[in-house]
Amino acid sequence: MNVQHSYSASLNAARRARELAALREAAGRPEPVVDVLVVGGGVTGAGVALDAASRGLSVVLAEKHDLGFGTSRWSSKLVHGGLRYLASGAVGIAHESAVERGVLMERTAPHLVRALPQIVPLLPGTGLSGAALVRTGFLAGDALRIAARTPSGTLPRSRRLSRAEVLRYAPTVDAAGLRGGLVFWDGQLTDDARLVTAIARTAAAHGAQVLTRCSVSDATGNGATLTDELTGESFPLRAAMVVNAAGVWAGEVTTGITLRPSRGTHLVFRQEAFGGMTAGLTIPIPGETNRFVLALPAPDDRVYVGLTDEEAPGPIPDVPEPTDAEIEFLLRTLNTALRAPLSREDVIGVFAGLRPLLDTGSGRTADVSRKHAVLTAPDGLVTVVGGKLTTYRRMAEDALDAVLTANGRTAAPCRTRSLPLVGAADRATLSHVKAPLRLVQRYGTEAVDVLAEAGGDPALLRPIAPGTQTTMAELRYAVRHEGALDASDLLDRRTRIGLAPEARAAALKAAEAALAD
C-alpha cells in the first residue's frame, strides 16, 4: 500500500515532518510501503526520484544531509558536450554528453542553462601545431552538436577570433604576442546546486517524498532503516525496489562497490580581478593534450578557476579540502595566460569535490573513464556510480530500468527527456517574465513567486550583505518552497554565498532571520 502524497513542488519543514510521520506509521506493514527507495540527494539521486515518480511509481528519496550536499555542488557549473573525451577516443560518452546538454538547454532547464563562449587565446606558448589541434577539436565539437540536433541558435558554431575580440571577452589576457584566439560555445549552469533542487522539487510535484536529514543504513534490495537526523528516531522502510545513488559514499551503503575518488579543486576570485570577463577562458595545461584550466564568469561578480584531477584515497570527508599544491597549480597555469599574474591574495574562496569514479585499475584518475556504471547486487539492489553532472538524466533512466528488470517489475516509459523542471519555459516565454533577469536565470517562471515573498516591501528585494546580490525574498522562498532547513542550506546550497567565506559571514544574520520567519 502506498503512502499518499501532497503532489506539490514545495519542499519545507512541515511537509518533511508529515511525510516522515506517515512513513513511521506504515513501518509495521508486511508489504512494501513504497515502490522505490532512492538513497542519495545529489543530482543522480534526484534524477532517479524524478524518473520513477514521473513513471507513476511511488518514491521516497532519503538524503543524509541536504539536496546537492556532496559532489553535485562542487562542479565547474558547466553543462558540456564531452569535447575532452573525443581526445581519448571515447566517442560514445562524448555523444551522450552532447545529447544530454541539448535536452537541458532546449527542453528541461532552459532557465538554468545558457550558452557560454569559451576562448583559447593563441599566445606565444601555443604553437601552430597546438592551435591546429585545438581547432580540430572544436570542429569535432561542432559535429557533436549537429549529431545531437542542438541548433546553432542555441549553441553557435566555433570560429577564429581576432586579437581585439579576445581582449573584449577577456581583458586581462596577456596582449604581448597574442595572435587572436579560438572560441567554442558550450552550456553553463546558473548553479549546479540549484539544478539539483529543481529536479527534486519536480519529483515532489509528481508525488515523490523528498526527505533531507534522513540517513539510510542496513540497505538491501527490498528496504532499509531510515534515521531522522534531526530527532535521532529510526524506523524500517520496506520498498519494492532500492537504488543506491550515494555518489562517493555508495560503498558505504552496500558492499562490493570499489570507487576511486578524484578530487577536483576550484578557486574563487572577484570578477574585477579579470576586468569584467564575459567568456570562459580555456588555458591548456603544459604537457597535456586534452586537459585545461578554466576561468569561468559566475554570479555575484565572481570567477571560478578550476580544475584539478587528483587521486583522493582514504576516508571520504563530508566536505573535501583543496591542497596547497592544487591551489598553486591552478594559479601557475592561470597566470600563463594573464598580463598581470594573480596571487593567493586575490583568491576569496576555494572549493573541492570528489568524482565518484569506478575503480578500473592503474593509471591516473584523469584517464579513468567518465562513463557511468549501473551495478545490480544479487538481492536486486541497484547502484549507479561514475558519470558526470551533464548526463545525470541518462544515468537515472538507466538505473531505474535496471532496478525494474532486476525485480521483475514494469512501469510507464521514461518521460524525463521532455519533462520540464519547475520554472522551465521556452526562451521567448522566459523573456517576458515580469522579474529581474538575475531572478529569471535562477528561478525561471517562478521568479514572480520569489518577488511575491517580499510582500511589497522593497527592503526585502535589496541585497542582504556586501558581496552578494541575494535578497531576503530569495531566502524566504528557499525556506518555504525549496526545503532549506538551516543557515547552511541557505548560504551554501540554495544560494552560493558560502563560496566566499567573508560574504557568508556577512549574510549569516539574514539567513537566521529568514529561518525565524
Side-chain angles (χ1 to χ4, degrees), residues 1-3 26-35 222 236-240:
M1 179 177 178
N2 294 334
V3 175
R29 297 174 186 170
E31 73 275 10
V33 175
V34 294
D35 295 323
N222 57 12
L237 177 70
R238 286 185 57 79

Side-chain angles (χ1 to χ4, degrees), residues 13 31 51 68 80 94 104 117 178 262 277 279 333 354 399 414-415 433 453 484 504:
E31 73 275 10
D51 196 325
H80 58 88
L104 279 160
L178 180 66
S262 163
M277 183 172 67
T333 306
L354 298 178
C414 177
R415 298 176 52 200
V433 174
E453 290 291 333
R504 188 189 196 281

Side-chain angles (χ1 to χ4, degrees), residues 269-294:
F269 295 86
R270 293 184 179 88
Q271 175 64 269
E272 64 190 41
F274 287 82
M277 183 172 67
T278 57
L281 190 58
T282 302
I283 305 164
I285 296 174
E288 301 273 359
T289 57
N290 66 331
R291 287 186 64 209
F292 303 86
V293 163
L294 307 176

